[in-house]
């Protein structure tokens, strides 16, 4: 019998209960959504008509989760603007290069030091380099940091990572799946991704008057239908030329942020962002089998420690290059430390190529730990910075500054 609707309803109830628990103890909901997803799945029991394995509905839940990523990134784009991003273009290019260079180099070094062959090392470096757009977007919105000065750099790094990912997936697939990689193919993939993004950034400034007229619709029903249709079309179109659909959604949000309808769109999209976003994190948890994680604990903890160091260092250097304060720079490194959907995509290439069986449990545990740590570190960034400042003395205490001022 078809129990698809029942299973989806059960999943939503579990997500709601996890969210209530997180709210009760005043903690980020993201780790709880992931953990409740891990607690159920193929290894869970079936109690009468309540099937906690979610076998029949797994594909549907996964698709709803994909929509959640689109809404999360689209909303984040609405909170920003193309104008601000273009003004920061040079600093974003420098900051993104710094971030990728540090984290990718550390990933390669870690793989080789752990004794992995070249192919496995390339996969490990990819897993440890790319941050999670969905988690970063959720954290920025939840903590109301979209207007912070460092958010420009964070968004820029997310987009920069996507260009890197488009190139890297082409190279990696060629290396581990067919033992060859076409330089022309790689360059085309990179140019398509970069061209698509630049086109949207330019169009966002030029097309605002046209979009204002197009979206001047009284009916909320027709208005939201048009917004959704364009959102999914743009995201899907981007994916056909190797730009992640989530980045396509982010770009479309940036474009609509230039219109006079931004507040109306933001208000209407909010419940969809929260609902489908929660389903994404739950569906992500469903893909992780807890029983497979034990064999990769030591390797994973080493990678997590290296990632925390690399992200913080990259954030400090990227922020410095953009003229940001040390506190804002620290926020960059702490905010983008989360790993998620893109790391799993890279891991799946290694699995498809029948590389080391350690890759799958490593990727799952690594992503889980950083998906939990990321929101926590971001939330407590002020406390962390205060503690580090007490050690490294980047900034003088206010009292000391006042004393030195009065003496002079």
């Amino acid at each position: 019998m078809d129990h698809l609707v029942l299973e989806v309803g059960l999943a939503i109830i579990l997500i709601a209960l996890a969210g209530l628990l997180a709210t009760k103890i005043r903690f980020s909901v993201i780790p709880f959504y992931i953990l409740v997803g891990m607690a159920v799945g193929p290894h869970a029991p079936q109690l009468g008509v309540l099937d906690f394995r979610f076998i029949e509905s797994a594909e549907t839940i996964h698709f709803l989760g994909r929509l959640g990523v689109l809404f999360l990134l689209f909303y984040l784009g609405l909170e920003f603007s193309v104008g601000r991003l273009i003004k920061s273009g040079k600093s974003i290019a420098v900051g993104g290069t710094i971030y990728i260079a540090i984290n990718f180099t550390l990933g390669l070094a870690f793989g080789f030091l752990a004794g992995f062959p070249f192919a496995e090392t390339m996969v490990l470096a990819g897993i440890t380099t790319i941050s999670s757009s969905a988690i970063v977007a959720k954290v920025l919105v939840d903590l109301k940091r979209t207007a912070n000065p460092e958010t420009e750099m964070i968004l820029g790094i997310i987009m920069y990572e996507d260009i890197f990912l488009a190139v890297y997936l082409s190279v990696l697939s060629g290396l581990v799946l067919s033992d060859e990689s076409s330089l022309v193919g790689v360059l085309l993939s990179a140019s398509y991704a970069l061209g698509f993004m630049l086109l949207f950034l330019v169009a966002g400034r030029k097309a605002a008057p046209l979009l204002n007229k197009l979206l001047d619709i009284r009916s909320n029903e027709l208005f939201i239908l048009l917004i959704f249709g364009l959102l999914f079309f743009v995201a899907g179109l981007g994916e056909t030329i190797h730009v992640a659909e989530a980045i396509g959604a982010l770009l479309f949000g940036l474009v609509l942020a230039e219109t006079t309808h931004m507040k109306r769109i933001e208000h209407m999209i909010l419940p969809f962002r929260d609902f489908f976003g929660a389903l994404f994190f739950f569906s992500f948890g469903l893909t992780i089998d807890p029983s497979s994680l034990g064999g990769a604990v030591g390797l994973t903890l080493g990678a997590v420690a290296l990632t925390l160091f690399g992200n913080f260092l990259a954030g400090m250097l990227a922020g410095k290059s953009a003229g940001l304060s040390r506190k804002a720079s620290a926020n960059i490194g702490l905010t983008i430390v989360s790993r998620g959907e893109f790391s799993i995509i890279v891991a799946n290439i290694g699995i498809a190529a029948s590389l080391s069986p350690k890759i799958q449990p490593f990727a799952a545990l690594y992503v889980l730990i950083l998906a939990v740590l990321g929101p926590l570190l971001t939330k407590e960034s002020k406390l962390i910075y205060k503690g580090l400042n007490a050690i490294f003395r980047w900034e003088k205490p206010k009292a000391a500054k006042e004393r030195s001022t009065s003496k002079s």
Side-chain angles (χ1 to χ4, degrees):
M1 187 180 293
D2 185 358
H3 292 131
L4 179 60
V5 175
L6 178 64
E7 286 190 16
V8 172
L10 179 61
I12 294 170
I13 289 173
L14 290 174
I15 293 169
L17 292 174
L20 286 171
L21 178 59
T23 305
K24 192 77 173 176
I25 62 175
R26 297 182 180 180
F27 198 78
S28 170
V29 295
I30 295 172
F32 282 79
Y33 291 158
I34 296 173
L35 289 171
V36 76
M38 285 180 60
V40 293
H43 52 277
Q46 179 178 4
L47 304 176
V49 295
L50 300 181
D51 191 352
F52 291 91
R53 299 172 301 170
F54 293 98
I55 296 172
E56 188 178 329
S57 60
E59 191 174 334
T60 301
I61 292 172
H62 174 70
F63 175 73
L64 296 175
R66 283 177 63 187
L67 296 184
V69 178
L70 298 186
F71 285 122
L72 283 167
L73 271 293
F74 177 60
Y75 187 87
L76 184 58
L78 286 173
E79 292 282 289
F80 217 58
S81 74
V82 174
R84 285 176 62 188
L85 205 60
I86 289 177
K87 288 179 183 178
S88 306
K90 184 179 178 181
S91 60
I92 285 171
V94 173
T97 301
I98 290 171
Y99 181 84
I100 294 293
I102 290 176
N103 285 282
F104 187 69
T105 302
L106 288 175
L108 287 176
F110 177 76
F112 284 126
L113 289 173
F116 283 103
F118 178 72
E120 279 82 352
T121 297
M122 289 292 286
V123 172
L124 286 176
I127 292 171
T128 57
T129 298
I130 307 296
S131 55
S132 169
S133 300
I135 296 177
V136 171
K138 175 73 172 170
V139 170
L140 285 174
V141 172
D142 284 355
L143 297 180
K144 296 180 174 58
R145 295 190 181 182
T146 53
N148 282 17
E150 69 272 11
T151 303
E152 293 177 12
M153 181 61 73
I154 292 170
L155 277 185
I157 289 175
I158 287 175
M159 294 176 66
Y160 197 92
E161 282 182 314
D162 190 63
I163 298 174
F164 171 79
L165 185 67
V167 176
Y168 193 68
L169 289 180
S170 301
V171 174
L172 189 64
S173 297
L175 286 173
V176 305
L177 295 177
S178 63
D179 296 323
E180 61 180 2
S181 181
S182 166
L183 178 60
V184 175
V186 170
L187 291 176
L188 280 175
S189 178
S191 62
Y192 287 155
L194 182 59
F196 183 80
M197 292 181 188
L198 289 176
L199 176 64
F200 254 84
L201 292 177
V202 173
R205 307 211 78 180
K206 303 292 184 183
L210 179 62
L211 287 169
N212 284 332
K213 291 180 180 179
L214 179 65
L215 297 174
D216 190 15
I217 303 170
R218 287 188 177 184
S219 168
N220 284 336
E221 178 184 351
L222 296 178
F223 183 80
I224 202 71
L225 279 172
L226 182 59
I227 293 296
F228 278 23
L230 290 172
L231 169 60
F232 298 151
F233 179 80
V234 169
L237 182 64
E239 194 178 27
T240 63
I241 53 174
H242 307 294
V243 175
E245 57 186 25
I247 300 300
L250 173 64
L251 290 169
F252 187 54
L254 288 167
V255 168
L256 292 186
E258 300 286 326
T259 70
T260 57
H261 302 281
M262 187 271 286
K263 290 295 182 183
R264 183 184 181 190
I265 299 169
E266 191 179 73
H267 175 73
M268 296 183 75
I269 211 77
L270 191 60
F272 294 95
R273 181 206 73 187
D274 293 339
F275 178 76
F276 289 102
L279 278 165
F280 164 73
F281 296 111
F282 176 80
S283 68
F284 181 66
L286 279 179
T287 65
I288 301 174
D289 181 4
S291 64
S292 68
L293 304 181
V297 174
L299 183 70
T300 304
L301 292 179
V304 167
L306 203 62
T307 299
L308 293 175
F309 169 75
N311 269 253
F312 191 80
L313 176 63
M316 294 299 287
L317 293 177
K320 184 179 180 181
S321 71
L324 296 172
S325 68
R326 285 192 174 91
K327 186 176 181 181
S329 301
N331 284 344
I332 295 172
L334 294 171
T335 301
I336 55 179
V337 76
S338 298
R339 298 297 187 264
E341 63 279 10
F342 295 140
S343 297
I344 297 298
I345 290 171
V346 175
N348 285 339
I349 292 178
I351 295 166
S354 301
L355 299 182
S356 171
K358 289 185 179 180
I359 289 177
Q360 187 172 21
F362 164 79
L365 186 57
Y366 173 79
V367 166
L368 174 64
I369 292 174
L370 288 178
V372 172
L373 276 180
L376 180 61
L377 292 175
T378 308
K379 183 181 178 183
E380 302 300 335
S381 59
K382 289 183 181 179
L383 186 62
I384 294 170
Y385 179 77
K386 186 177 179 181
L388 291 173
N389 188 48
I391 298 172
F392 296 104
R393 299 188 180 279
W394 291 317
E395 297 178 3
K396 293 179 181 179
K398 289 183 179 180
K401 285 186 178 180
E402 290 172 358
R403 285 197 298 272
S404 62
T405 304
S406 60
K407 286 180 181 178
S408 60

